[in-house]
Amino acid sequence: MSERKLLMIPGPIEFDPSVMEKMSQPTLSHVAPAFIESFGRALEMMREVWLAPSGQPFIVAGSGTLAMDMAGANLIEPNDKVLVISTGYFGERYAELLKRYGANVTFLQSEVGDVVPLETVEAELASGNYKLMTFTHVDTSTSVLVDAKAMGALAQKYNVLSILDGVCSVAGEEIRQEEWGIDVVVTASQKAVGVPPGLALVVASEKAMNVWKNRKTPVGNYYCDWSLWLPIMQAYEGRKPSYFATPPVNLIQALERSLELILEEGMDSRFLRHKRLAQQFRDEMSELGMTFIPKSEAVQANTLTAPYYPKDVNGGELLGGVGAAGVIIAGGLLPSHKTLYFRVGHMGIVSDEHIERTVSAIKTALK
Ligand code: PMP
């Protein structure tokens, strides 16, 4: 049998064997004591990974889009003023999503490969009576990294709730949710969190929970409603059985394992490893003469890289060649630039060996 190819797309990624082992264990009852313990521990560890000691974690079956939806459904009421700061494809998604709940959205779009300047964001916050702002920490379509700390500070300064789309950043890029004053950080399991696709993960601040509690209108989405989910999270964390909708038992046990591994490594070491390997990969691509969608080093993500195809290289052929050399990478996603660039994910358990194998496969394909 030929060796399995290395999965280096920006999610799903390679997962640790001990995480995969949890996926193949016989499924427990969702009220079995061993599962209650796993669920409770996973919730507790989320606070540590998110660096949000007083945050309220939610673990729900679904993808990252559901995590975005959960935050929007619970915090938006019709006609609320919302600022969506977009650095690519997923910012547009958030604007569309929030409009479904009646949000009055102002959309700030960056130039391709850049962030929206902080002064522009600040001027907008100062001029409008915003309730909430969203930003994509790493937009997976452009590999642009937004300064989350600065965004959190602006949201605090103007007393605006903030939602960070961390689907491509949580557990890879540095996020200190509580210290940086970010109200909601949403993600999914299949990227740097290191669990197969299927979990929507959210941590909400006390302030966000209070805004939700004081809503004047009911939450316009049944499955997302925190009034149905909060008692479940509280029960499992209190090590009591509970039921609203059947939890994905094996995925949650896999999450418990992955969060353990993340915390064993330590958040600071983990952020640094992602930074170091991303730099290493970009240096190798630069040496091959490639340039990147992000316009400067300061806005380059550490969880993925988006290089332009070298001149005279056919994108489809390059991707095919890299695949034939044993590594799966991804094509472009941003509609206007789709055929001009490719994307390589390097997050989660990514190692020096993974980077070396990927670089070598790209070199082989270029030849
Ligand atoms: N936001 C970002 C930044 C993403 O990268 C993605 C997925 N690539 C999503 C949201 C949506 O997540 P999902 O595909 O899990 O619904």
Side-chain angles (χ1 to χ4, degrees):
M1 206 172 77
S2 64
E3 204 187 328
R4 198 179 62 83
K5 291 179 183 176
L6 185 67
L7 189 58
M8 295 294 283
I9 64 172
I13 60 165
E14 291 289 325
F15 302 120
D16 189 88
S18 67
V19 169
M20 293 314 290
E21 212 177 284
K22 299 286 179 186
M23 298 299 294
S24 62
Q25 280 174 3
T27 301
L28 296 175
S29 157
H30 62 290
V31 291
F35 176 65
I36 294 172
E37 181 59 26
S38 288
F39 204 148
R41 287 197 68 220
L43 288 162
E44 286 161 1
M45 288 189 284
M46 273 176 73
R47 286 199 191 85
E48 293 181 58
V49 169
W50 268 243
L51 294 163
S54 43
Q56 175 58 54
F58 293 90
I59 302 172
V60 175
S63 76
T65 307
L66 185 83
M68 296 165 76
D69 209 5
M70 180 175 257
N74 285 283
L75 294 175
I76 297 298
E77 297 195 61
N79 301 317
D80 280 345
K81 276 197 74 178
V82 175
L83 183 61
V84 173
I85 300 147
S86 175
T87 37
Y89 186 89
F90 291 101
E92 288 178 30
R93 173 171 301 190
Y94 226 152
E96 289 312 306
L97 185 162
L98 296 173
K99 284 180 199 164
R100 298 285 177 101
Y101 298 109
N104 174 2
V105 173
T106 300
F107 189 66
L108 286 181
Q109 175 69 57
S110 70
E111 281 175 35
V112 173
D114 210 348
V115 293
V116 177
L118 284 175
E119 310 80 71
T120 311
V121 175
E122 173 147 25
E124 191 54 47
L125 288 175
S127 75
N129 195 15
Y130 286 102
K131 170 176 174 178
L132 184 144
M133 64 185 250
T134 76
F135 62 97
T136 318
H137 195 190
V138 170
D139 199 295
T140 319
S141 69
T142 55
S143 80
V144 165
L145 173 72
V146 165
D147 183 344
K149 186 179 180 184
M151 290 293 208
L154 279 180
Q156 292 291 319
K157 181 170 173 188
Y158 292 94
N159 194 25
V160 169
L161 283 174
S162 54
I163 300 178
L164 178 157
D165 171 354
V167 175
C168 200
S169 71
V170 170
E173 301 285 355
E174 182 177 7
I175 309 175
R176 302 180 185 278
Q177 182 177 353
E178 201 152 311
E179 189 186 319
W180 292 356
I182 297 163
D183 289 299
V184 187
V185 173
V186 305
T187 194
S189 49
Q190 74 271 18
K191 304 206 193 208
V193 168
V195 176
L199 293 176
L201 304 169
V202 176
V203 176
S205 69
E206 286 175 300
K207 183 174 161 194
M209 294 309 292
N210 282 330
V211 168
W212 162 72
K213 275 182 202 142
N214 293 320
R215 286 177 68 98
K216 294 186 183 65
T217 57
V219 170
N221 179 318
Y222 183 71
Y223 186 73
C224 284
D225 191 341
W226 280 341
S227 62
L228 298 167
W229 285 114
L230 182 60
I232 307 303
M233 301 305 139
Q234 289 170 333
Y236 276 103
E237 209 174 339
R239 306 301 194 265
K240 293 189 199 80
S242 188
Y243 169 76
F244 160 55
T246 309
V249 172
N250 291 67
L251 276 170
I252 291 174
Q253 290 178 302
L255 175 68
E256 178 198 18
R257 178 64 193 137
S258 193
L259 294 175
E260 261 169 23
L261 291 171
I262 291 170
L263 291 171
E264 272 167 27
E265 180 176 16
M267 297 317 294
D268 289 340
S269 313
R270 193 171 176 89
F271 300 146
L272 280 175
R273 174 170 56 83
H274 280 80
K275 236 183 171 155
R276 178 176 67 75
L277 293 172
Q279 188 65 56
Q280 202 169 306
F281 183 71
R282 281 200 302 276
D283 289 348
E284 293 276 7
M285 293 303 103
S286 299
E287 250 173 58
L288 293 172
M290 293 189 207
T291 57
F292 307 97
I293 295 261
K295 288 195 166 145
S296 70
E297 267 294 310
V299 299
Q300 290 269 17
N302 299 299
T303 48
L304 84 154
T305 299
Y308 282 105
Y309 292 117
K311 239 197 225 134
D312 306 324
V313 166
N314 175 297
E317 279 176 22
L318 180 72
L319 295 184
V322 175
V327 179
I328 310 287
I329 59 174
L333 179 61
L334 197 68
S336 59
H337 288 58
K338 210 172 162 60
T339 57
L340 304 178
Y341 75 110
F342 63 103
R343 295 173 303 143
V344 175
H346 31 73
M347 57 188 134
I349 60 167
V350 64
S351 63
D352 288 271
E353 191 226 326
H354 291 166
I355 297 291
E356 280 154 25
R357 273 175 71 184
T358 307
V359 170
S360 152
I362 291 171
K363 285 182 179 167
T364 304
L366 282 173
K367 270 186 212 148

